[in-house]
Amino acid sequence: MNADLLVVGSGVAGCSAALAADDAGADVTLVTKATAPDDATSYWAQGGIAVSRGDPDAFREDVLAAGDGACDPAAVDTLVAAADDAVREVLIDRLGVPFDGDDEFDFGREAAHSENRILHVDAATGAAVLPRFLSHLRTETSVDVVEDTAALDLVTHEGRVHGALLESGGDVEPCVAGATLLATGGIGAAYGRTTNPPGATGDGVAMAALAGADVADMEYVQFHPTACVVDSEGANPAGDRPGTGDGEVPFLVSEAVRGEGAVLRDGDGERFMPDRHPDADLAPRDVVARAVRERREATGEVRLDVSGVAFAAEFPGLAERCREHGVDPDEGIPVAPAQHFLCGGIDVDRDGRASLDRLFAAGECARTGVHGANRLASTSLLEGLVFGRRAGRAAAGFDPEPVETPDLRDSDPALPERFAAEKFHRLRSTMSEHVGIERTPDGLRKAGAGLRRLKGEVDAYTRTRTARELYELRNATVCGLLVARAAAENDTSRGCHHLAAESHAD
Ligand SMILES: Cc1cc2nc3c(=O)[nH]c(=O)nc-3n(C[C@H](O)[C@H](O)[C@H](O)COP(=O)(O)OP(=O)(O)OC[C@H]3O[C@@H](n4cnc5c(N)ncnc54)[C@H](O)[C@@H]3O)c2cc1C
């Protein structure tokens, strides 16, 4: 297989990049290990997509404040300046996403936004965007969309990336490409309790790092404060596929619900956020997540009180999820923090260029600098859209060059039974215990040692086997190591990276 541009990943970032490169005349192949739109996190996005509403300065200030002094201001400028046009040109004019509102849009509000500026479709925005995007690529462009196909490793030669080795149905073949753009999403599968879909195994970040590309800000892993938890003990054991595993999160309760007036109460029925932050329940995510965790430990549970919100009318999708999982919203929705988003990733410039020649990255796997130490709500779809387009344009126009590719055809596509499940369980336990919402130097040292051992055990198998789940396990472990290492090297608590006096299990 050959292409001018190989895009890996079919979330909002991969689709945006593929569309822009196709517009620029490139021959684009988009491969995805997904078999359905909901395998991508983009499908799961609830609250929506932020726009500037003609006031980029206010939007910029909110992004910078949430990022806690660690954003790249130039990247934030790019994001806010391009937001309104990108949303209109792609999502509204080309895809026809039916954002809520009659004559005028119904702009929502979420934590740490100073204004109502979030376009949404109920609280299921991703589900309204992604299937339209994929269908548009298939029917209105020349992009070749190839499903159920996983990139296992990048093909590199003398510092230049020439495509990737692709696994499909147990067979491994190279795709030689003029440029390669990673848009593989987040790393949630490395954690015990996550809001991410099971395929969020950090493949792009790990493949890039293993090929020698720079990564940055890996310690800034965002935890969402209000994941619904039906079984707070997390009785669900690791499954056969790398999944959310222990402490499974049935669904996320969007910040938009707090934006409409819902409040958090601890096990004694008391509100606690007004004492913690001037913005109370709408404080930045890291502040709310730590408070929720602390009150759960002190009082047994935290519930989201939605009595002040027309919940079923305003959030019919979430009301349905509550019914499905036996949660009565009138009694308050039981919530806990869960791993949600990677602020760091493959270090890229504002056109998505990574530190290796002809390697590009966009979306959650990329570190553009817009999120700093903590992402502002509803800016991730926007980041994928804006920077995905820029990266797609910049990556168009390279011809594939002849290159020798590794031959893995004789490798065994199988794995011993339970191998990946057992090791994923170890990985998630380590990450949740020591590299979670609060970290200690001692915990990070233990995590580093345990993860290095785990990586060694996994590497012994990747030498001779090509099972997709083995590579996913390797990638999630590499991401775990990168997070643990970056956290250990940063002794300043900031945003999502919080050093505590003692270690807690999460
Ligand atoms: C429950 C939930 C709610 C959220 N709500 C919002 C919101 O309201 N607004 C907002 O802005 N953000 C929200 N986010 C965050 C946002 O959805 C994600 O950060 C964003 O969609 C990531 O987009 P992406 O294109 O980078 O990755 P994804 O959408 O995750 O796509 C990654 C793609 O890469 C594929 N892939 C991965 N590895 C490989 C491989 N090795 N080979 C081939 N394909 C591969 C995957 O199958 C997938 O198709 C939410 C996240 C969650 C979990």
Side-chain angles (χ1 to χ4, degrees):
M1 191 193 280
N2 276 18
D4 293 348
L5 174 62
L6 172 67
V7 175
V8 183
S10 58
V12 70
C15 289
S16 302
L19 181 63
D22 181 77
D23 285 347
D27 155 36
V28 182
T29 296
L30 183 154
V31 296
T32 178
K33 67 182 182 182
T35 55
D38 65 357
D39 288 337
T41 312
S42 297
Y43 183 92
W44 298 33
Q46 294 187 347
I49 183 161
V51 289
S52 80
R53 297 187 70 184
D55 187 355
D57 291 343
F59 189 12
R60 177 180 194 273
E61 291 313 308
D62 289 349
V63 175
L64 291 172
D68 208 3
C71 298
D72 173 350
V76 177
D77 284 346
T78 300
L79 181 83
V80 300
D84 296 17
D85 285 349
V87 169
R88 176 155 301 284
E89 286 167 20
V90 178
L91 301 189
I92 298 174
D93 292 348
R94 288 181 87 161
L95 306 186
V97 176
F99 288 114
D100 285 1
D102 297 325
D103 295 339
E104 291 184 0
F105 290 124
D106 167 30
F107 291 100
R109 181 144 176 196
E110 293 188 60
H113 282 273
S114 58
E115 294 175 10
N116 289 26
R117 61 163 78 91
I118 297 164
L119 286 169
H120 58 99
V121 183
D122 181 18
T125 308
V129 168
L130 199 58
R132 281 183 172 79
F133 222 146
L134 289 162
S135 152
H136 184 84
L137 289 182
R138 286 197 179 99
T139 57
E140 307 295 325
T141 73
S142 309
V143 176
D144 189 13
V145 179
V146 187
E147 285 191 339
D148 199 4
T149 299
L152 300 185
D153 263 326
L154 296 175
V155 174
T156 56
H157 183 65
E158 294 180 350
R160 175 172 288 178
V161 175
H162 293 272
L165 290 180
L166 305 179
E167 181 276 337
S168 180
D171 296 331
V172 180
E173 295 289 344
C175 173
V176 177
T180 306
L181 193 153
L182 298 170
T184 54
I187 64 165
Y191 281 88
R193 189 188 288 136
T194 177
T195 63
N196 290 187
T201 46
D203 298 357
V205 177
M207 287 190 291
L210 290 171
D214 293 341
V215 298
D217 288 351
M218 288 296 291
E219 67 272 43
Y220 299 123
V221 176
Q222 184 175 71
F223 285 73
H224 197 291
T226 56
C228 173
V229 279
V230 175
D231 171 10
S232 61
E233 294 310 307
N236 184 37
D240 291 327
R241 290 266 312 146
T244 50
D246 331 50
E248 191 140 334
V249 171
F251 59 96
L252 177 76
V253 186
S254 165
E255 237 149 20
V257 183
R258 275 177 284 138
E260 289 297 312
V263 294
L264 291 158
R265 294 187 187 279
D266 65 17
D268 299 329
E270 300 295 330
R271 289 190 65 189
F272 50 91
M273 283 314 301
D275 289 339
R276 312 269 171 142
H277 195 277
D279 293 334
D281 298 84
L282 287 178
R285 279 186 182 164
D286 60 303
V287 177
V288 185
R290 282 196 296 278
V292 169
R293 175 203 168 99
E294 188 265 305
R295 293 321 293 158
R296 272 172 58 84
E297 283 185 1
T299 67
E301 67 170 11
V302 167
R303 286 180 183 255
L304 187 66
D305 173 357
V306 296
S307 57
V309 181
F311 187 64
E314 294 277 338
F315 301 100
L318 281 174
E320 179 60 31
R321 303 300 302 273
C322 284
R323 266 192 299 280
E324 280 167 22
H325 293 281
V327 173
D328 179 359
D330 291 341
E331 292 178 3
I333 303 169
V335 292
Q339 190 283 345
H340 186 59
F341 183 81
L342 176 65
C343 299
I346 304 161
D347 200 13
V348 294
D349 69 11
R350 277 178 289 151
D351 289 317
R353 275 188 206 89
S355 62
L356 294 180
D357 191 24
R358 301 208 187 167
L359 179 67
F360 295 77
E364 190 168 337
C365 71
R367 183 271 182 199
T368 57
V370 297
H371 303 306
N374 185 33
R375 173 174 74 92
L376 181 67
S378 285
T379 55
S380 176
L381 291 179
L382 183 64
E383 182 195 31
L385 178 66
V386 167
F387 288 95
R389 285 177 103 191
R390 292 177 66 97
R393 279 185 209 122
F398 296 102
D399 294 327
E401 294 169 352
V403 66
E404 212 172 291
T405 56
D407 187 353
L408 297 181
R409 265 173 295 206
D410 293 334
S411 298
D412 186 347
L415 260 189
E417 210 189 333
R418 307 284 309 158
F419 178 90
E422 185 270 321
K423 297 216 169 355
F424 254 107
H425 185 78
R426 258 171 66 196
L427 168 65
R428 291 194 287 252
S429 304
T430 304
M431 294 303 288
S432 298
E433 187 174 357
H434 298 303
V435 201
I437 203 164
E438 284 184 344
R439 293 120 185 219
T440 63
D442 186 44
L444 291 170
R445 261 191 303 278
K446 284 185 188 139
L451 293 170
R452 275 192 297 278
R453 265 196 308 280
L454 181 59
K455 167 121 189 334
E457 292 167 33
V458 175
D459 282 348
Y461 279 78
T462 49
R463 282 181 207 115
T464 54
R465 300 187 190 231
T466 53
R468 188 184 300 187
E469 61 183 347
L470 175 65
Y471 277 76
E472 291 177 320
L473 171 64
R474 178 203 68 177
N475 295 333
T477 306
V478 168
C479 288
L481 264 169
L482 292 170
V483 176
R485 188 178 304 159
E489 286 171 0
N490 184 350
D491 57 10
T492 305
S493 284
R494 184 195 292 273
C496 308
H497 174 56
H498 189 77
L499 292 162
E502 303 163 34
S503 170
H504 301 270
D506 187 10

